[in-house]
Amino acid sequence: MSKASSKAAAAALAAGGKTGVRIVVAGDRGTGKSSLIITAAVDNFPGTCPPVLPPTRLAEDFYPDRVPVTIIDTSSKLEDTGKVAEELKRADAVVLTYACDRPETLDRLSTFWLPKLRQLEVKVPVIVVGCKLDLRDENQQVSLEQVMSPIMQQFREIETCIECSSFKRIQIPEVFYYAQKAVLHPTAPLFDQESQTLKPRCVRALKRIFILCDHDRDGALSDAELNDFQVKCFNAPLQPSEIVGVKRVVEEKLPGGGTTDGGVNERGLTLTGFLFLHALFIEKGRLETTWTVLRKFGYNNDIRLDDELIPSFKRAPDEVMLSSSSTLIFLEILTLCLSLWQDNNLRPAELDDIFSTAPDSPWDEPPYKDAAERTSLGGLSVNAFLSEWALMTLLHPSRAVEYLIYIGYLGDPSTAVRVTRKRRLDRKKQQSERHVFQCFVFGPKKAGKTSLLNSFIGRPCPDGHASTTEEKFAANVVELPGGTKKTLVLREIPEDEVKGLLSSKESLASCDIAVFVYDSSDESSWKRVTELLLDVAGHGEDTGYEVPSLIIAAKDDLSSFPMAIQETTRVTQDLGIEAPIPISSRMGDTNNVFRRIVNAAEHPHLSIPETEAGKSRKQYHRLVNRSLMFVSVGAAVAIVGLAAYRVYAARKSSSS
């Protein structure tokens, strides 16, 4: 890499990956847009200006961040409104101008321009610029803060306000410096202007950085640790006098003592003090300091780890990602250490503590929010926590690794998960090596699918019925005879979604076992579940992704429909699978169904239903293979016979 490209790469990294900033200048006619741009570019006031300037580029060394700036002028003509809107949508930052000598142009910011940006859904920093400062009436001197404070309260997207004069070249470079800075070092992700506090996601990221820099894990950054932090982030050590000065500033503002958490203690700078320093930097306009720290530790502008730090994983359709043994050990130790009562249960506060260094808790949103068994205190058992993690690894392995890094995993992220062998190979070997199984739950409406999931994670059955319109998950640990533990993930497939699911060839590839639930008191429910079973089994036969299947007769506390035993026996015998398993979720009688599901998944060559079409196809292949075998044997006999004749002929010739 050349020296120039190395500098460009370093600048892009320091700027959060930005290789250029596009600033669009808009405002009413005659507010000084074009003069502002020309004066910034050539440091000279133009005599005349064209109606609209072509894109103007400032050299990359124009500002300290060394990121090129492109400034886009816009037309004030009514017929160009659509073009202006397109430019605004492509902007990294918007400069809105008004004329200091024309108060009506200032009013237009809040009545037209700022609402227009919201209407266009332009969610970028806005810099409000008062041009023609030299023309303002001296008798109408009002502070900029007085003028802009009400507008900034109403429109939080305004990053900063500044007044300038192109004619007298007052604060012209500063306009685009603030605009560039707002893009490269934005305030919004870090700081809440209204409450004047760091935003929660920023606090979480800085807490993680603090913990990573606290090498001796004593809850404070010593002088040596502070110096290491400074060198890592800013490539320069702190002098002893500078360290003393930093700690003095913190102690003055956060003295501590009593029950108050001070910013400095006998061991060094505390987390409270560390966060205070960053809030102070931001309040003083030194956002680049905090952003430099965040980016050195891999954070992007959303204050999440950059995508380049999160491995992606390739796998075959019937392979899945599971947590590696090192990950499971890390998670078990972490949860046991944070369980203050050492009772294998994590209370809500302890769960919050685990994810206090992540952008948020992954368990707060679907499909994880209601997917595991909650304790009476609203927390999770260690088994439930590990089940949630298994679910996330199964569905979104890269996201699972990302959160693993957030909560303190220091191993190689690419080895935090492992790829299982293909399910087809499991069937061939007649056994599965997995410790996590995914079960698809099919069935008609009102059959009891959701109740099955609820009973699996200890949730009471609700009164009445609410149709499921989207997929639901339930994950838990199933203990087998002998003490072996497996994690089972139930995925409820709404009846209306089955057709769409089966439209994909690989839809069953991720399924270890399928369960078909019907209402044992309703004959129409039984007929519908057999239709679903045949559809799924036929799809598996057509695509090669056959899955073991079980039928569950739910609502066993109700009377069965007439001829139920004869009908269900006939169908299951025809398909070659076991008879329906009766359960009653309402009575709490699950008949060991979850163990039986895991047992069937562990032996994937069994319990696979065969349709009539599948049987005919197998019979056809047998006949073809037998015919080919006869042909092969006949050909072999002919070849051997020909060889024997040639030997006989050769001997006869030699004897003659």
Side-chain angles (χ1 to χ4, degrees):
M1 184 184 286
S2 68
K3 189 176 291 186
S5 59
S6 296
K7 286 183 178 179
L13 180 64
K18 276 282 185 185
T19 55
V21 174
R22 185 182 182 87
I23 302 171
V24 176
V25 182
D28 283 355
R29 183 191 302 272
T31 53
K33 300 189 293 295
S34 301
S35 297
L36 172 65
I37 296 170
I38 293 175
T39 307
V42 301
D43 194 26
N44 198 17
F45 181 70
T48 58
C49 296
V52 181
L53 296 173
T56 303
R57 184 182 173 97
L58 303 182
E60 67 176 40
D61 59 353
F62 200 91
Y63 294 120
D65 285 299
R66 301 187 63 82
V67 176
V69 173
T70 302
I71 307 172
I72 308 298
D73 194 9
T74 56
S75 170
S76 300
K77 294 180 180 178
L78 188 61
E79 58 266 30
D80 292 331
T81 300
K83 197 171 183 181
V84 173
E86 289 304 313
E87 291 291 2
L88 290 170
K89 289 178 181 179
R90 296 175 58 201
D92 294 317
V94 173
V95 168
L96 288 182
T97 61
Y98 68 93
C100 291
D101 61 332
R102 293 167 55 199
E104 71 276 8
T105 61
L106 175 61
D107 294 337
R108 284 264 297 168
L109 295 182
S110 54
T111 60
F112 176 77
W113 286 104
L114 288 161
K116 181 181 180 69
L117 291 179
R118 287 186 176 180
Q119 180 190 353
L120 295 172
E121 297 185 348
V122 176
K123 298 177 181 178
V124 298
V126 175
I127 312 298
V128 171
V129 180
C131 299
K132 304 185 181 184
L133 180 60
D134 55 294
L135 298 180
R136 177 189 282 161
D137 186 345
E138 292 182 0
N139 296 322
Q140 294 181 349
Q141 292 292 342
V142 184
S143 73
L144 182 61
E145 185 178 353
Q146 283 179 297
V147 171
M148 292 305 305
S149 182
I151 300 176
M152 293 183 74
Q153 288 290 328
Q154 183 180 358
F155 298 95
R156 295 286 177 182
E157 54 267 42
I158 298 176
E159 190 78 16
T160 191
C161 304
I162 185 172
E163 292 180 329
C164 66
S165 169
S166 299
F167 181 68
K168 294 201 173 181
R169 287 182 286 176
I170 298 172
Q171 295 203 117
I172 298 301
E174 286 84 347
V175 169
F176 297 106
Y177 170 70
Y178 287 134
Q180 184 208 53
K181 186 178 177 182
V183 176
L184 304 182
H185 313 299
T187 304
L190 304 183
F191 201 69
D192 188 320
Q193 299 277 20
E194 190 168 355
S195 64
Q196 290 291 291
T197 57
L198 295 173
K199 286 192 172 179
R201 186 172 286 191
C202 178
V203 170
R204 289 165 170 261
L206 291 174
K207 180 180 178 181
R208 174 175 172 266
I209 291 169
F210 178 89
I211 292 172
L212 290 174
C213 295
D214 180 17
H215 303 306
D216 57 11
R217 298 292 187 267
D218 65 349
L221 298 183
S222 65
D223 290 359
E225 289 167 340
L226 265 177
N227 195 57
D228 290 344
F229 166 78
Q230 178 76 11
V231 170
K232 176 179 175 64
C233 294
F234 304 101
N235 301 316
L238 281 170
Q239 297 302 316
S241 60
E242 292 176 310
I243 294 176
V244 171
V246 167
K247 292 200 287 189
R248 184 185 299 119
V249 169
V250 175
E251 282 183 302
E252 288 174 357
K253 297 292 184 180
L254 302 171
T259 58
T260 307
D261 184 8
V264 177
N265 61 26
E266 66 278 4
R267 296 185 299 276
L269 184 71
T270 66
L271 173 61
T272 302
F274 186 72
L275 295 174
F276 166 77
L277 279 176
H278 283 281
L280 188 63
F281 292 145
I282 294 169
E283 286 176 16
K284 292 184 178 297
R286 292 172 53 189
L287 288 99
E288 63 274 13
T289 301
T290 300
W291 275 117
T292 298
V293 171
L294 290 169
R295 285 167 182 152
K296 282 291 183 180
F297 283 86
Y299 287 91
N300 59 23
N301 277 13
D302 295 323
I303 316 189
R304 298 189 74 96
L305 288 176
D306 195 90
D307 290 343
E308 293 182 359
L309 300 177
I310 312 300
S312 56
F313 303 98
K314 293 182 179 179
R315 58 192 185 277
D318 60 343
E319 293 175 332
V320 295
M321 310 300 300
L322 303 179
S323 295
S324 65
S325 57
S326 61
T327 296
L328 292 174
I329 291 170
F330 167 78
L331 291 172
E332 287 176 3
I333 293 174
L334 177 69
T335 51
L336 289 173
C337 289
L338 289 177
S339 176
L340 298 179
W341 297 83
Q342 297 295 300
D343 58 356
N344 285 328
N345 283 316
L346 295 164
R347 287 152 180 76
E350 293 162 354
L351 284 171
D352 291 342
D353 194 21
I354 288 176
F355 293 111
S356 64
T357 50
D360 45 42
S361 170
W363 308 155
D364 289 342
E365 59 186 51
Y368 312 107
K369 186 175 182 180
D370 299 313
E373 184 172 3
R374 290 277 170 175
T375 65
S376 58
L377 297 174
L380 293 173
S381 68
V382 170
N383 277 345
F385 180 89
L386 295 176
S387 298
E388 287 266 40
W389 203 279
L391 174 60
M392 183 161 61
T393 308
L394 194 69
L395 300 180
H396 306 111
S398 292
R399 190 175 187 217
V401 174
E402 179 186 359
Y403 275 87
L404 200 61
I405 298 171
Y406 287 136
I407 65 175
Y409 183 78
L410 298 177
D412 181 356
S414 64
T415 62
V417 296
R418 64 180 182 87
V419 184
T420 64
R421 72 187 182 195
K422 296 180 179 181
R423 286 184 173 82
R424 294 183 185 186
L425 188 56
D426 283 347
R427 286 203 302 273
K428 187 175 181 181
K429 291 184 175 292
Q430 300 187 356
Q431 191 163 6
S432 176
E433 60 174 6
R434 303 168 192 228
H435 60 82
V436 178
F437 296 107
Q438 182 170 200
C439 170
F440 285 15
V441 180
F442 297 94
K445 295 180 179 69
K446 302 182 181 181
K449 302 187 296 296
T450 301
S451 295
L452 178 70
L453 269 68
N454 286 339
S455 64
F456 185 44
I457 54 177
R459 186 178 294 128
C461 295
D463 294 328
H465 171 77
S467 295
T468 299
T469 57
E470 57 185 26
E471 290 184 341
K472 291 182 179 178
F473 290 85
N476 211 341
V477 171
V478 177
E479 189 164 341
L480 303 177
T484 304
K485 292 182 178 180
K486 303 284 184 177
T487 300
L488 177 62
V489 173
L490 300 182
R491 174 184 172 187
E492 180 181 349
I493 312 293
E495 182 184 5
D496 295 338
E497 300 296 322
V498 175
K499 186 176 181 180
L501 177 76
L502 299 182
S503 65
S504 168
K505 177 184 176 182
E506 297 166 350
S507 57
L508 297 177
S510 61
C511 177
D512 290 296
I513 180 167
V515 160
F516 297 84
V517 182
Y518 74 99
D519 178 351
S520 61
S521 68
D522 184 352
E523 187 173 4
S524 63
S525 181
W526 162 252
K527 289 181 178 179
R528 179 61 183 138
V529 89
T530 57
E531 292 172 358
L532 291 171
L533 175 53
L534 290 172
D535 288 343
V536 172
H539 184 77
E541 291 169 343
D542 293 341
T543 60
Y545 295 118
E546 300 102 322
V547 293
S549 299
L550 296 176
I551 301 177
I552 293 178
K555 306 181 184 181
D556 190 46
D557 50 303
L558 304 178
S559 300
S560 300
F561 64 86
M563 303 293 290
I565 295 176
Q566 295 90 325
E567 179 65 16
T568 56
T569 301
R570 180 186 63 79
V571 171
T572 51
Q573 285 182 347
D574 286 347
L575 292 170
I577 59 176
E578 67 176 272
I581 303 168
I583 69 166
S584 172
S585 298
R586 187 171 298 279
M587 303 297 292
D589 180 13
T590 57
N591 199 7
N592 283 326
V593 69
F594 304 116
R595 282 187 180 180
R596 295 167 78 168
I597 291 172
V598 171
N599 185 62
E602 283 186 308
H603 302 88
H605 61 297
L606 304 174
S607 305
I608 296 178
E610 283 189 287
T611 66
E612 290 302 322
K615 291 176 183 177
S616 299
R617 190 183 292 117
K618 278 190 176 181
Q619 181 66 20
Y620 172 75
H621 286 310
R622 287 196 199 98
L623 291 173
V624 170
N625 289 336
R626 190 176 301 167
S627 300
L628 290 174
M629 183 181 69
F630 287 148
V631 170
S632 299
V633 170
V637 169
I639 291 169
V640 171
L642 180 60
Y645 172 76
R646 286 177 176 172
V647 170
Y648 166 75
R651 286 183 177 179
K652 186 175 181 182
S653 175
S654 61
S655 62
S656 300

